[in-house]
Amino acid sequence: MKVKPFNLVLAGALCLSVSAFAFDGGKNPKPNPVHPKKFIDPANMDQSIKPGDNFFDYANGNWIKNNPIPAKETRWGSFSILHQDNTDKLLKLLNEVSSTPGQPKGSLKQRVGDLYASGMDTVTIDKLGYTPIAGDLARIDKITDLNGIISEIVYERLNGIGSPLFGFGVGQDDKHPNKNIVNFNQGGTSLPDRDYYLKSSARNQAIHDAYTKYVTTLFTLTGTNADDAAKNASTIFNFEKVLAKAQLSRVAMRDPNVTYNKYSVTYFSSITPHLNWAQLLTALKTPGQDTVLVAEPAFFMAADTLLASTSISDLKVYLKWNILKGSAGALSDPFVKANFDFSAALSGQKVQTPRNERMSGLVDGSLGELLGQLYVEKYFTPAAKQYMIDLVNNLKETLGDRIKRLDWMSDETKQRALKKLAAFTVKIGYPDKWQTYDGVVIDRNDYMGNLRRLSTWRYNYNVSQLGKPVDKKRWGMTPPTVNAYYNPANNEIVFPAGILQFPFFDFGADDAVNYGGIGAVIGHEMTHGFDDQGRQYDADGSLRNWWNSADADKFKIRADQVVAQYNAFTVLDSIHVNGKLTLGENLADLGGVNIAYEAFKKTKEGHSTTKIDGFTPDQRFFLSWAQVWRSAQRPESAAQRILTDPHSPEQYRCNAPLTNIDAWYTAFNVKPGDKNYKKPEDRIKVW
């Protein structure tokens, strides 16, 4: 996948009290062993459960029983705890810089501190009510024809207000990854997935009802009478349902060749006769283009038809809705409450996240490489970065060895796979060159204005890249992010500073714990380069087939086995994991834990049988993997994630890969009759 294994929000804090590394054979970095805490704590386990019946519950059962989901969370576990820990760190930094007004205008601390302060000024925000968007609504009221509608769509993009009807931006050309090109994508809907509009169920009906209430409430808060507000809700849902029907499914969009459609601007305009793209591209600050990429052509044809067949009054209602939904969270308390109530209907969240935590996330998402500089200065060290570099090199070597030993791949394709592996770019911690957000003005007393200026800056920065080589030094995540990702067009694996903490990594932990945690994450991201999507990109990031057909067929057979395994897992009542949607992440999990285990076995501890806290090194490796996925979630959140998240639920991310790994069976004496036992010949081997 282009970005990540799941939001890897983990537990604990990074222990930095180490002065030197010990190395095993010059290849495997090992921290000086210190055991200030139990990295594998039996008290968190439910040892009444057989490991071979449900390893996730065996490793995490007591912890889950004793740690209910907090009311402000939709799920709770290792990831959530580390995310909370990082949020607390960011809040300390934000409270420091925001409590000292008068910093030099345009400086890092002034902009970070004043953006946070403006968002925390609820007195001013509540006094303003909806006046920050009143001018937008009045402007839409004056529209009289389709040209006015189209001009408004352009205006909203240029002025940081919203992105109605479709997605648009400048990005890499997947078949020419050093070049930027204009990209068009499907969009225009408000619910998280097309299935919410198109599939009938009691669960979806409840969400429809909550959505209707949400739309009606926001219109009412701006002075629309109740009857007209209800009619508006119906108009919007029906309009968006037509768009949803034209959208490709998330599974279909997983194939990068399906969404790679390079059209001349003339041809694109010919299939959307009410949208003159040559004129629109000029208006959108991307003039002079002869070709564009259109991810879902059929969607744009349907959207064009919908524009022409919908009354101007209904289109104005849709455009007003775009303003309202994009602004609700930044307006006065009644708007924020309505926004949360709808979100809660989708996710099951019981109470709203505290405002200071929401503002921390907003600053990180808006000025992340300014805030990130403060974060890494205080919480990240060169020692952690060096440990990661050494670990990555170890795992690259191990994956290379595994590729050489594959019995299903020809030598010809193996050499190309090894070439791609050798070409991986590795980014750790934070960017070498920070984004400066030149020109962004942050006013301590103008929260909505700050948000608009930031959105406008992002748009202008994005379109300014057209005609320039792709800047491959840019990051897709901020330093405090608890996550990691692989970008196939850059052939890069990226590990922000935020992930380099326990339970993924701790200098005081034994190798089994670190390899089962951060080692498996590194292996996961490497495997993304060879999953069902990543394998379609070559060593320089080009979308190009480098496989011979026989090898591709053999890969597909194995991938289909993974799809079938995950399709069989039930999440809620009749809801199953979507094995096709989650295939890339499932392949990456399977590859990640295999690569990490083999790399672990090269270390001195990997050869040992000495127990720590009652467990052998091999057992601790697999228990470390399991505790990374320690989590419980609300049923509403689970139902939503099945539709929208390309990652499987945590219990299956933990259990399913292990059922295909021989060493796990040996480590925990898993035998026929155990619920998760698979015959050796049925265990899936891919990378």
Side-chain angles (χ1 to χ4, degrees):
M1 180 177 177
K2 282 191 178 179
V3 176
K4 68 189 191 230
F6 167 67
N7 286 333
L8 293 171
V9 202
L10 346 177
L14 183 61
C15 177
L16 299 174
S17 56
V18 65
S19 57
F21 290 104
F23 290 86
D24 178 26
K27 296 179 180 179
N28 303 296
K30 178 184 179 299
N32 289 335
V34 182
H35 300 290
K37 56 187 175 184
K38 289 186 176 181
F39 295 104
I40 303 295
D41 191 344
N44 292 326
M45 302 169 61
D46 185 349
Q47 297 188 61
S48 68
I49 295 173
K50 294 176 67 176
D53 282 349
N54 189 325
F55 194 70
F56 177 83
D57 286 347
Y58 165 77
N60 301 311
N62 284 345
W63 189 94
I64 292 172
K65 290 175 187 175
N66 296 325
N67 291 272
I69 303 171
K72 72 182 181 73
E73 303 289 341
T74 61
R75 51 184 166 171
W76 191 246
S78 296
F79 306 145
S80 315
I81 293 170
L82 184 49
H83 176 71
Q84 182 65 57
D85 182 68
N86 261 9
T87 297
D88 293 342
K89 290 175 180 176
L90 292 179
L91 284 172
K92 288 180 181 178
L93 296 170
L94 289 166
N95 286 325
E96 288 174 9
V97 295
S98 65
S99 63
T100 54
Q103 299 276 0
K105 202 69 176 173
S107 67
L108 183 158
K109 291 185 177 180
Q110 179 268 314
R111 291 190 287 174
V112 167
D114 285 359
L115 178 59
Y116 177 73
S118 72
M120 292 300 294
D121 184 5
T122 55
V123 173
T124 298
I125 293 169
D126 285 341
K127 282 182 180 178
L128 290 172
Y130 78 94
T131 56
I133 62 169
D136 299 315
L137 302 179
R139 185 182 61 254
I140 293 171
D141 276 332
K142 296 176 182 177
I143 295 173
T144 60
D145 56 21
L146 186 57
N147 285 334
I149 295 293
I150 295 171
S151 294
E152 174 66 19
I153 290 173
V154 171
Y155 180 90
E156 291 186 19
R157 281 183 160 79
L158 296 182
N159 291 277
I161 300 172
S163 304
L165 199 62
F166 58 85
F168 167 84
V170 171
Q172 278 173 288
D173 182 334
D174 276 1
K175 293 190 177 181
H176 304 279
N178 293 318
K179 295 182 179 180
N180 284 304
I181 190 170
V182 169
N183 287 261
F184 287 94
N185 305 91
Q186 66 189 27
T189 51
S190 303
L191 297 177
D193 189 82
R194 67 195 292 268
D195 282 2
Y196 284 112
Y197 297 92
L198 306 179
K199 292 188 176 181
S200 297
S201 69
R203 186 175 282 111
N204 279 3
Q205 185 58 54
I207 289 170
H208 293 173
D209 293 343
Y211 185 46
T212 297
K213 180 181 178 182
Y214 180 41
V215 177
T216 302
T217 300
L218 291 193
F219 273 100
T220 302
L221 288 170
T222 62
T224 305
N225 69 60
D227 288 344
D228 287 343
K231 290 177 184 176
N232 289 350
S234 178
T235 295
I236 290 161
F237 183 84
N238 291 331
F239 186 90
E240 292 183 345
K241 185 175 181 179
V242 176
L243 294 177
K245 190 174 182 180
Q247 291 176 353
L248 286 179
S249 70
R250 291 175 186 267
V251 170
M253 288 190 293
R254 283 190 53 74
D255 187 341
N257 283 295
V258 167
T259 56
Y260 188 93
N261 304 286
K262 184 175 282 189
Y263 289 168
S264 71
V265 173
T266 301
Y267 176 74
F268 190 26
S269 295
S270 75
I271 64 173
T272 58
H274 302 93
L275 296 166
N276 184 321
W277 291 112
Q279 292 179 3
L280 286 171
L281 286 169
T282 298
L284 290 165
K285 299 185 178 181
T286 54
Q289 305 308 300
D290 55 4
T291 56
V292 294
L293 287 177
V294 184
E296 304 91 359
F299 170 83
F300 282 88
M301 296 168 69
D304 180 81
T305 300
L306 183 61
L307 274 178
S309 62
T310 303
S311 69
I312 298 302
S313 60
D314 284 354
L315 289 172
K316 288 161 69 172
V317 167
Y318 172 73
L319 289 176
K320 285 185 177 182
W321 172 239
N322 190 69
I323 300 288
L324 283 167
K325 71 178 181 181
S327 306
L331 295 174
S332 59
D333 186 65
F335 288 89
V336 174
K337 182 179 184 304
N339 187 52
F340 169 72
D341 288 346
F342 175 60
S343 174
L346 286 167
S347 68
Q349 188 172 341
K350 301 304 181 186
V351 301
Q352 192 164 32
T353 306
R355 188 172 186 93
N356 63 341
E357 295 184 12
R358 284 182 276 139
M359 292 306 105
S360 168
L362 182 138
V363 177
D364 183 36
S366 302
L367 296 173
E369 292 193 25
L370 298 186
L371 180 60
Q373 292 177 56
L374 301 177
Y375 176 85
V376 299
E377 182 180 5
K378 189 162 187 177
Y379 298 113
F380 191 64
T381 69
K385 187 168 186 173
Q386 184 59 51
Y387 183 85
M388 279 292 291
I389 290 170
D390 293 330
L391 199 58
V392 167
N393 289 337
N394 185 4
L395 268 76
K396 279 183 69 175
E397 179 181 315
T398 300
L399 177 53
D401 291 341
R402 293 180 65 84
I403 290 171
K404 293 172 186 175
R405 298 199 307 268
L406 289 176
D407 59 6
W408 57 268
M409 180 178 278
S410 69
D411 288 342
E412 174 190 20
T413 307
K414 283 181 182 178
Q415 289 308 309
R416 292 171 181 163
L418 291 168
K419 180 181 178 182
K420 178 172 183 176
L421 176 64
F424 274 4
T425 296
V426 182
K427 297 177 178 177
I428 296 170
Y430 52 89
D432 293 330
K433 181 180 180 181
W434 294 101
Q435 178 63 265
T436 59
Y437 309 91
D438 285 346
V440 173
V441 175
I442 300 298
D443 185 334
R444 193 178 184 89
N445 302 306
D446 186 14
Y447 179 50
M448 180 63 81
N450 289 335
L451 299 185
R452 291 279 176 93
R453 286 187 289 274
L454 282 161
S455 293
T456 302
W457 180 88
R458 280 193 293 270
Y459 181 86
N460 288 333
Y461 177 80
N462 177 251
V463 297
S464 76
Q465 301 306 297
L466 196 59
K468 299 177 182 177
V470 171
D471 185 354
K472 296 188 177 182
K473 293 184 178 180
R474 294 260 64 87
W475 280 48
M477 291 178 179
T478 65
T481 304
V482 186
N483 212 330
Y485 68 92
Y486 170 77
N487 181 338
N490 285 353
N491 195 27
E492 65 181 6
I493 51 177
V494 185
F495 306 95
I499 197 174
L500 303 180
Q501 303 178 66
F502 184 76
F504 287 118
F505 165 76
D506 195 301
F507 276 125
D510 48 301
D511 279 342
V513 169
N514 282 336
Y515 276 82
I518 196 64
V521 171
I522 295 168
H524 173 111
E525 300 308 335
M526 288 180 177
T527 306
H528 269 314
F530 304 96
D531 70 14
D532 62 308
Q533 288 180 311
R535 76 173 190 86
Q536 298 186 64
Y537 294 79
D538 66 11
D540 70 1
S542 298
L543 179 59
R544 183 182 66 82
N545 182 27
W546 48 272
W547 295 60
N548 70 40
S549 58
D551 291 336
D553 289 343
K554 291 174 184 177
F555 173 87
K556 188 176 185 305
I557 289 170
R558 286 158 176 77
D560 286 345
Q561 292 172 341
V562 175
V563 170
Q565 179 178 11
Y566 284 81
N567 276 342
F569 298 139
T570 302
V571 182
L572 292 170
D573 45 73
S574 60
I575 298 178
H576 284 249
V577 175
N578 185 336
K580 290 186 177 179
L581 176 63
T582 58
L583 176 58
E585 300 301 329
N586 298 335
L587 287 168
D589 283 341
L590 177 58
V593 71
N594 266 304
I595 296 163
Y597 178 76
E598 184 169 324
F600 164 61
K601 296 304 286 183
K602 296 177 182 178
T603 69
K604 182 177 180 181
E605 288 182 17
H607 292 120
S608 170
T609 57
T610 302
K611 292 183 177 181
I612 300 175
D613 296 325
F615 300 104
T616 67
D618 273 22
Q619 289 174 332
R620 290 174 67 80
F621 173 89
F622 293 114
L623 287 168
S624 176
W625 164 259
Q627 74 178 4
V628 159
W629 303 115
R630 177 184 296 157
S631 180
Q633 65 179 324
R634 301 192 189 281
E636 297 91 342
S637 175
Q640 180 180 347
R641 286 181 62 199
I642 286 298
L643 288 180
T644 62
D645 194 342
H647 305 83
S648 296
E650 283 80 355
Q651 64 267 41
Y652 301 124
R653 295 193 74 176
C654 170
N655 288 345
L658 301 186
T659 66
N660 297 303
I661 298 175
D662 297 341
W664 173 72
Y665 287 81
T666 301
F668 290 95
N669 195 29
V670 179
K671 296 180 177 179
D674 292 346
K675 292 178 182 178
N676 279 336
Y677 177 85
K678 292 173 71 173
K679 296 177 182 178
E681 61 269 25
D682 293 335
R683 297 169 195 170
I684 305 167
K685 312 293 183 186
V686 187
W687 293 105

